[in-house]
Amino acid sequence: MRQIVLDTETTGLEWKKGNRVVEIGCVELLERRPSGNNFHRYLKPDCEFEAGAQEVTGLSLEFLADKPRFEEVVDEFLAYVDGAELIIHNAAFDMGFLENEMQLLGRGRLGERVTVTDTLAMARERFPGQRNSLDALCRRLGVDNSHRHLHGGLLDAQILADVYIALTSGQEEIGFGLPEAEAAGAAGMVQAFDAAVLLPRPRVVTTASELQAHEARLERLRKKAGHAWWDGAKPEEVVGA
């Protein structure tokens, strides 16, 4: 299973107004583990930034002046993402800009080469009525984003990779439910990487309300089970109660 966590930075909020992509950041996951095979490019947009966009990204036309245009990296980008599942937060935004870049070059549709999973839609389904920005999800899921002071394509893709793994973690994360041979084969696909290359793993933090709900459920089970409940006592103490 090859997944690409992707984020873009742009000169403004709408491609229909002539805004362009100025940064693409991608993190490759193999069997839900970062492989270190990332893709990161700054791009010369040939248009001005909208008011406020430079402050969000920290990028400028001066910095991007000697960077390649999208047409110069499109073949490399397509070869990298071809056939993968793209993991994107608010996918309509990034895909809209990327499809526009493809259309301007007459290169067909990116959506015909990849599948797309929107983590914003996933988060809204899991946490309805709550804020589900990337920063909000980091706080809720215990993902460290303290180093995120500006929006950046590769940095945001790295953070989103941790958020996605936390959102979708379950038995499959540690190989439960897989035949032994299949699990061993999957593990063999991902090589050992230098610790400095691997991305930080998410820290799942239990909230006070979750602990309170857990204790309340245990208390109901105790009352229902009566003497059959073993709450840390020795077996002979339960029998003799």
Side-chain angles (χ1 to χ4, degrees):
M1 176 174 60
R2 184 170 183 263
Q3 298 169 302
I4 303 294
V5 185
L6 180 147
D7 185 70
T8 64
E9 299 301 332
T10 63
T11 60
L13 295 178
E14 296 185 46
W15 60 266
K16 292 180 181 179
K17 293 184 178 180
N19 288 300
R20 303 290 297 275
V21 176
V22 293
E23 184 181 3
I24 302 175
C26 300
V27 172
E28 181 186 61
L29 301 180
L30 296 179
E31 301 300 327
R32 296 170 54 81
R33 299 291 189 274
S35 70
N37 177 29
N38 300 335
F39 179 93
H40 183 220
R41 297 291 183 275
Y42 292 109
L43 302 172
K44 183 178 180 179
D46 289 328
C47 70
E48 298 290 332
F49 278 90
E50 283 188 354
Q54 284 183 266
E55 288 73 14
V56 170
T57 63
L59 300 176
S60 67
L61 293 180
E62 290 75 18
F63 173 78
L64 299 170
D66 62 346
K67 302 301 184 287
R69 294 178 172 85
F70 183 78
E71 64 188 68
E72 299 175 66
V73 304
V74 62
D75 289 329
E76 183 183 9
F77 172 68
L78 292 177
Y80 179 82
V81 302
D82 198 30
E85 176 189 8
L86 299 187
I87 310 296
I88 308 174
H89 199 67
N90 191 12
F93 178 89
D94 300 84
M95 288 299 292
F97 270 92
L98 290 172
E99 293 289 19
N100 180 59
E101 296 287 350
M102 294 282 289
Q103 184 177 9
L104 290 174
L105 298 178
R107 296 297 300 267
R109 295 187 63 252
L110 177 61
E112 294 176 350
R113 296 170 172 265
V114 298
T115 59
V116 179
T117 295
D118 189 350
T119 52
L120 178 59
M122 293 173 58
R124 285 172 173 170
E125 182 176 350
R126 180 169 173 181
F127 307 112
Q130 301 185 52
R131 294 186 68 247
N132 288 300
S133 67
L134 188 57
D135 285 337
L137 289 174
C138 286
R139 290 190 293 270
R140 191 173 303 137
L141 298 170
V143 174
D144 183 10
N145 69 336
S146 58
H147 51 306
R148 186 189 191 228
H149 304 294
L150 293 169
H151 288 254
L154 183 59
L155 173 61
D156 285 1
Q158 290 173 324
I159 293 173
L160 180 58
D162 283 344
V163 167
Y164 170 75
I165 291 172
L167 271 175
T168 58
S169 62
Q171 290 185 336
E172 69 276 8
E173 180 75 359
I174 53 178
F176 290 166
L178 288 175
E180 184 175 346
E182 183 179 344
M189 291 181 63
V190 182
Q191 303 299 316
F193 297 104
D194 190 312
V197 176
L198 293 177
L199 302 179
R201 304 295 294 167
R203 297 176 290 103
V204 180
V205 179
T206 304
T207 65
S209 60
E210 290 172 334
L211 287 174
Q212 185 177 6
H214 177 67
E215 288 299 325
R217 177 171 174 78
L218 288 180
E219 183 60 29
R220 290 195 298 270
L221 290 174
R222 291 188 187 100
K223 291 179 180 179
K224 184 176 180 180
H227 293 317
W229 178 262
W230 178 47
D231 188 12
K234 297 177 182 179
E236 60 267 26
E237 293 174 340
V238 174
V239 173

